[in-house]
Amino acid sequence: MASHRRPKQPTRTRVTVLTVTAAAAVALTGQAANAAPAKPSKDEVKSKVDALYEEAEQATEKFSKAKEHQDKLEKEIGQLQDQVARGQEDLNNLRGTLGSMASAQYRTGGIDQSLALFLSADPDNYLDKASTLEQLSGKQVEAVQKIQAKQRSLAQQRQEAAGKLTDLEATRKELGEKKKASTDKLAEAQALLNTLTAQERTQLKDEDSRASRGQNDRVDLGDVKPSGRAGAALAAAQTKLGSAYVPSATGPNSFDCSGLTQWAYKQANVSISRTTFTQINDGTRIGKSQLQPGDLVFFYDDLHHVGLYAGNNTVLHASNPRGGVKYESMNNMPFQFGVRVG
């Protein structure tokens, strides 16, 4: 008879306890799944910010290159438009001279048919025929040929100007894209820095200062003393230690990397170009063992960063928005080559 007994049912109290425990387990599992990601450490933030600074600088140098191209195009377009305006005035004067010839000929017995056709709306096809020119007088032929040459010149100039205007439109679009790319990267970097506590930001600043030997320290150049124009450029840059890094800035109070090198050489009465991509051609390329204080030194595969060699494997450069203008070991960046400004 015992085998036919019904299984013992759990008490109401036990069921309640089991239900609450299961619900709590489900709730904890859901909380774990929805938990916010762990806050990045100071070192992780520094690494991400440095990468963003590098990407922003790449965009900044490309922006500066496009800006330089835009300025050049605007100047060339202005010159072409002036030439076209002067050419149109010359053409009008030539046509006036030919019209005077036609008027005189009419008063003396009628106007030549060939000359009348030239003065009509579309004379070019007609006048291209040698037989037509043969029917005109010598002075008339000379006047017609001058007008035709001026017309061809004006057409070529207008076509060239139109091409440059198209190029200018594309360049302005590129400028906007590179400017936005740089701004977005810097904003992302700042947002990351804002996740750090005040103490962590202070520690990060102290670490940067120690790594760069301190902004107010002068590098021991050993037996090699700066001289000549390169030495003068380095001396000028040293007066800007601690200045702010600002994208596309060329001084005198803030700089980007190529803005600092251009400004420094300008103080030495030497004109070099605006961006890293063109400064690589502003002198003779040299290897690391040949570097002397004041030489330009370039970094990264795409050559988007430049500084001034300061001696003892050290570069003086506008580093990034966090570091500004400072000394730094050249081991911290992938060196490519140096340039001795000619």
Side-chain angles (χ1 to χ4, degrees):
M1 294 296 291
S3 61
H4 296 288
R5 293 176 182 173
R6 296 176 61 188
K8 187 177 181 181
Q9 300 297 317
T11 65
R12 181 178 298 275
T13 302
R14 187 181 177 202
V15 169
T16 302
V17 170
L18 289 172
T19 303
V20 171
T21 302
V26 170
L28 288 171
T29 302
Q31 289 176 359
N34 297 324
K39 178 178 175 292
S41 69
K42 173 175 64 65
D43 290 339
E44 288 173 335
V45 167
K46 181 181 183 301
S47 178
K48 290 179 181 178
V49 166
D50 286 344
L52 287 167
Y53 280 158
E54 185 180 336
E55 292 173 12
E57 186 173 50
Q58 289 173 322
T60 295
E61 285 300 308
K62 290 175 181 177
F63 170 86
S64 297
K65 182 180 179 181
K67 181 68 169 64
E68 197 171 40
H69 186 51
Q70 175 187 263
D71 294 343
K72 180 183 177 183
L73 281 173
E74 288 176 342
K75 182 178 179 180
E76 290 174 348
I77 288 169
Q79 292 172 340
L80 278 170
Q81 289 173 337
D82 288 344
Q83 291 174 12
V84 168
R86 289 194 299 269
Q88 187 62 56
E89 185 178 352
D90 292 343
L91 181 59
N92 293 339
N93 291 335
L94 288 170
R95 283 175 170 163
T97 300
L98 193 60
S100 298
M101 291 182 187
S103 297
Q105 188 173 0
Y106 180 78
R107 287 193 298 270
T108 58
I111 184 170
D112 185 283
Q113 184 183 11
S114 300
L115 193 57
L117 281 170
F118 182 80
L119 294 171
S120 68
D122 186 18
D124 290 343
N125 292 335
Y126 188 86
L127 285 170
D128 284 338
K129 299 177 181 179
S131 58
T132 301
L133 293 176
E134 289 173 359
Q135 298 175 28
L136 301 178
S137 69
K139 287 185 178 181
Q140 290 171 340
V141 169
E142 183 181 356
V144 167
Q145 289 175 336
K146 284 183 179 180
I147 290 175
Q148 287 181 310
K150 181 58 68 175
Q151 286 175 324
R152 286 192 293 269
S153 175
L154 280 173
Q156 182 178 353
Q157 288 171 345
R158 287 191 175 105
Q159 183 178 6
E160 185 179 354
K164 288 184 182 295
L165 283 168
T166 300
D167 192 3
L168 179 60
E169 183 180 355
T171 300
R172 284 175 173 163
K173 181 181 178 182
E174 182 185 2
L175 271 174
E177 291 171 352
K178 300 306 180 189
K179 183 69 172 178
K180 184 178 185 303
S182 176
T183 302
D184 288 350
K185 294 298 181 183
L186 291 176
E188 189 177 348
Q190 188 58 51
L192 275 171
L193 288 172
N194 290 342
T195 66
L196 298 177
T197 65
Q199 182 180 2
E200 287 173 328
R201 285 196 291 269
T202 299
Q203 291 173 347
L204 195 59
K205 185 176 180 180
D206 290 343
E207 289 170 8
D208 286 341
S209 180
R210 287 194 299 272
S212 63
R213 305 185 181 190
Q215 291 180 335
N216 296 319
D217 295 340
R218 293 184 68 85
V219 173
D220 179 9
L221 300 178
D223 295 331
V224 181
K225 303 299 180 183
S227 62
R229 294 179 297 182
L234 177 60
Q238 287 169 335
T239 68
K240 296 301 177 179
L241 282 165
S243 295
Y245 176 102
V246 175
S248 303
T250 58
N253 300 316
S254 58
F255 306 87
D256 64 13
C257 68
S258 54
L260 175 66
T261 51
Q262 184 188 50
W263 179 88
Y265 266 94
K266 184 177 180 180
Q267 310 316 301
N269 296 316
V270 179
S271 177
I272 63 174
S273 54
R274 172 64 186 90
T275 71
T276 59
F277 309 121
T278 51
Q279 287 181 7
I280 59 174
N281 299 316
D282 285 340
T284 304
R285 296 189 187 187
I286 53 178
K288 197 169 188 178
S289 63
Q290 300 170 284
L291 290 174
Q292 295 179 6
D295 287 337
L296 299 176
V297 281
F298 294 87
F299 301 90
Y300 300 100
D301 290 344
D302 64 352
L303 306 172
H304 72 264
H305 192 72
V306 65
L308 293 164
Y309 184 62
N312 284 353
N313 198 42
T314 301
V315 59
L316 173 57
H317 65 147
S319 58
N320 56 47
R322 193 176 69 246
V325 178
K326 65 177 184 177
Y327 291 118
E328 187 166 358
S329 169
M330 287 176 56
N331 295 335
N332 293 347
M333 297 174 287
F335 172 78
Q336 302 300 310
F337 54 79
V339 166
R340 182 155 300 148
V341 177

